């Protein structure tokens, strides 16, 4: 049995070095995740910021709807003040605003 250890094995090749690219792959995944996370947070910030913006035209339109016509002088001032937001829309509205 001791003689069987002395037999040379010609079919088995020596160990080869296997290139390890796991660190590079990890860094690439971290960078991609960071870019996606940053982009997502930026889009969320823009969405929240856009919801807080007050629509001037909508505010003026709601004020025009609520004008109390029982007091003509206050109503005229209010219509003049809030109507300026819509005066530049079309020539017809410009003419109506001028009248």
């Amino acid at each position: 049995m001791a003689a069987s250890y002395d037999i040379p094995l010609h079919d088995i090749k020596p160990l080869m070095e296997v290139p390890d690219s796991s660190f590079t792959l990890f860094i690439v995944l971290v960078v991609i995740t960071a870019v996606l996370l940053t982009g997502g947070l930026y889009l969320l910030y823009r969405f929240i910021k856009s919801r807080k913006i007050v629509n001037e035209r909508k505010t003026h339109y709601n004020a025009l709807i609520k004008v109390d016509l029982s007091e003509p002088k206050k109503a005229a001032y209010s219509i003049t003040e809030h109507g300026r937001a819509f005066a530049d829309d079309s020539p017809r509205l410009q003419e109506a605003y001028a009248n």
Side-chain angles (χ1 to χ4, degrees):
M1 206 157 168
S4 65
Y5 290 117
D6 297 335
I7 300 174
L9 299 174
H10 298 290
D11 294 340
I12 299 177
K13 294 183 180 181
L15 294 176
M16 296 181 63
E17 189 174 321
V18 178
D20 184 23
S21 60
S22 61
F23 183 71
T24 307
L25 191 62
F26 174 72
I27 295 297
V28 169
L29 286 175
V30 166
V31 169
I32 289 173
T33 304
V35 167
L36 288 176
L37 187 63
T38 304
L41 289 174
Y42 175 71
L43 290 176
L44 181 65
Y45 169 75
R46 280 189 41 206
F47 175 73
I48 290 172
K49 187 177 177 184
S50 71
R51 290 186 61 191
K52 290 183 180 180
I53 293 176
V54 176
N55 189 347
E56 295 286 330
R57 293 176 58 84
K58 189 173 184 179
T59 305
H60 288 293
Y61 180 74
N62 288 336
L64 282 174
I65 289 176
K66 295 178 183 177
V67 170
D68 183 20
L69 297 176
S70 64
E71 298 179 26
K73 188 172 184 179
K74 282 187 175 181
Y77 284 130
S78 180
I79 289 171
T80 303
E81 179 183 345
H82 298 296
R84 286 188 199 127
F86 305 102
D88 296 333
D89 286 351
S90 69
R92 189 179 122 234
L93 284 176
Q94 289 177 353
E95 182 182 333
Y97 179 71
N99 289 336

